[in-house]
């Protein structure tokens, strides 16, 4: 029982995280009782939520702070797998249905029409910026100096985890958008190509870490390593995690985007340009 409690009890408890987690869980539970949600979508959402809790609010977080390869696994789950699963469940309509009707009419609808909301969403969900930030936050936290700063300051450490999670949500919500463009912000073809573009610098960074013959992250030695195997072996495994599984998950995301593209094409919802329109555009 003691061992079980050790794994369940959060290593570093956060009221902000708990509040956000419970709000999302309650809204989804209420929404799924009001509208029909396919079983596969429910499984994807709750699996993603379980992984978020596992990576941030269990003893796994301790190992992420004391071993590089576990840290890279944590970041992979936060940045790639969890947002991919939850965005693939298309939870927006379910979460919205979870709100009381009065709140939706009085607060949510005016908020979505307000200029601060339109400006913020227009910037954050701009495809080029979202893709850039998606890659940037992977690479910047791989810089040894930034990694050291995150491990020495708990505020920077939490900021790192939040940026990885949120940038993943923004990016995968654009790539897995089931709507045509417009109103979707990214074209159907670009949604398929984008993961191939964003995975390239991550593969390169992972390869650099994998084949490095020096200890790039001595901060884990200072903090006290959780495992006793060779330092370079752990660093190599961490580099491989950044390289191979991340690329596989992005490939899976591209396949899901391709599936949506084919669905839109079969239903005739893709914008079609006539020959006259093409002629006018090229003249």
């Amino acid at each position: 029982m003691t061992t079980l409690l050790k794994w369940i009890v959060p290593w570093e408890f956060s009221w902000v995280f708990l509040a956000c987690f419970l709000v999302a869980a309650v809204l989804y539970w209420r929404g799924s009782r009001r509208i029909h949600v396919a079983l596969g979508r429910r499984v994807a959402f709750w699996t993603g939520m379980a992984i978020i809790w596992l990576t941030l609010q269990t003893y796994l977080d301790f190992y992420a702070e004391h071993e590089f390869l576990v840290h890279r696994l944590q970041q992979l789950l936060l940045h790639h797998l969890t947002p991919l699963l939850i965005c693939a469940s298309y939870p927006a309509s379910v979460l919205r249905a979870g709100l009381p009707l009065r709140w939706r009419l009085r607060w949510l609808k005016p908020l979505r029409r307000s200029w601060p909301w339109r400006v913020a969403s227009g910037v954050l969900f701009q495809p080029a910026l979202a893709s850039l930030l998606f890659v940037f936050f992977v690479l910047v936290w791989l810089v040894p100096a930034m990694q050291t700063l995150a491990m020495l300051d708990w505020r920077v450490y939490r900021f790192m985890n939040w940026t990885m999670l949120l940038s993943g949500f923004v990016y995968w919500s654009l790539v897995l958008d089931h709507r045509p463009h417009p109103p979707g912000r990214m074209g159907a073809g670009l949604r398929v190509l984008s993961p191939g573009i964003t995975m390239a610098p991550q593969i390169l960074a992972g390869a650099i870490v994998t084949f490095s013959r020096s200890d790039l992250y001595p901060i884990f030695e200072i903090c006290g390593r959780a495992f006793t195997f060779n330092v370079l072996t752990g660093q190599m495994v961490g580099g491989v995690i950044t390289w191979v599984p991340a690329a596989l998950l992005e490939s899976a995301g591209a396949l899901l985007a391709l599936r949506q593209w084919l669905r839109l094409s079969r239903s005739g919802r893709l914008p079609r340009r006539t020959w006259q329109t093409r002629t006018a555009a090229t003249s």
Side-chain angles (χ1 to χ4, degrees), residues 16-246:
V16 174
F17 170 82
L18 180 62
C20 294
F21 187 90
L22 288 179
V23 167
V26 170
L27 287 180
Y28 192 88
W29 176 78
R30 284 170 54 90
S32 62
R33 289 170 61 88
R34 293 181 176 180
I35 63 175
H36 173 72
V37 184
L39 177 61
R41 290 174 57 191
R42 295 191 188 197
V43 170
F45 178 84
W46 290 116
T47 301
M49 292 289 283
I51 294 174
I52 292 178
W53 185 271
L54 174 67
T55 53
L56 294 180
Q57 291 294 289
T58 66
Y59 204 67
L60 181 67
D61 195 35
F62 165 81
Y63 286 98
E65 294 183 18
H66 292 81
E67 197 63 54
F68 178 70
L69 71 90
V70 182
H71 170 72
R72 293 317 309 165
L73 177 61
Q74 179 195 53
Q75 300 302 291
L76 175 73
L77 296 175
L78 288 176
H79 191 248
H80 282 72
L81 182 58
T82 297
L84 182 62
L85 283 172
I86 293 181
C87 289
S89 74
Y90 299 101
S93 60
V94 187
L95 294 172
R96 186 167 55 249
L99 287 170
L101 180 60
R102 184 175 59 182
W103 291 14
R104 279 182 272 167
L105 295 177
R106 185 173 181 180
W107 303 107
L108 183 60
K109 194 172 182 179
L111 175 64
R112 296 181 65 182
R113 291 180 175 179
S114 65
W115 70 264
W117 178 274
R118 293 200 304 268
V119 170
S121 61
V123 172
L124 290 176
F125 289 91
Q126 204 283 329
L129 179 61
S131 302
L132 179 63
L133 291 178
F134 180 75
V135 176
F136 172 78
F137 284 122
V138 173
L139 301 182
V140 72
W141 298 118
L142 274 175
V143 175
M146 296 300 296
Q147 184 75 83
T148 299
L149 181 62
M151 292 301 165
L152 293 179
D153 191 325
W154 66 270
R155 293 162 297 186
V156 180
Y157 181 79
R158 288 189 179 178
F159 177 73
M160 172 184 65
N161 288 337
W162 278 103
T163 56
M164 295 291 280
L165 185 62
L166 294 179
S167 64
F169 274 126
V170 171
Y171 177 74
W172 288 118
S173 67
L174 291 173
V175 171
L176 300 183
D177 197 339
H178 64 281
R179 304 170 299 171
H181 171 69
R185 298 176 183 269
M186 202 182 262
L190 183 57
R191 296 171 197 168
V192 178
L193 293 175
S194 180
I197 298 172
T198 56
M199 79 167 67
Q202 299 177 69
I203 290 175
L204 178 60
I208 291 174
V209 174
T210 299
F211 296 113
S212 175
R213 294 296 89 195
S214 60
D215 185 7
L216 299 177
Y217 306 99
I219 184 61
F220 289 96
E221 193 71 41
I222 298 173
C223 294
R225 297 185 182 275
F227 304 137
T228 58
F229 50 69
N230 184 271
V231 172
L232 294 182
T233 300
Q235 183 172 283
M236 179 188 68
V237 175
V240 171
I241 291 174
T242 305
W243 176 1
V244 180

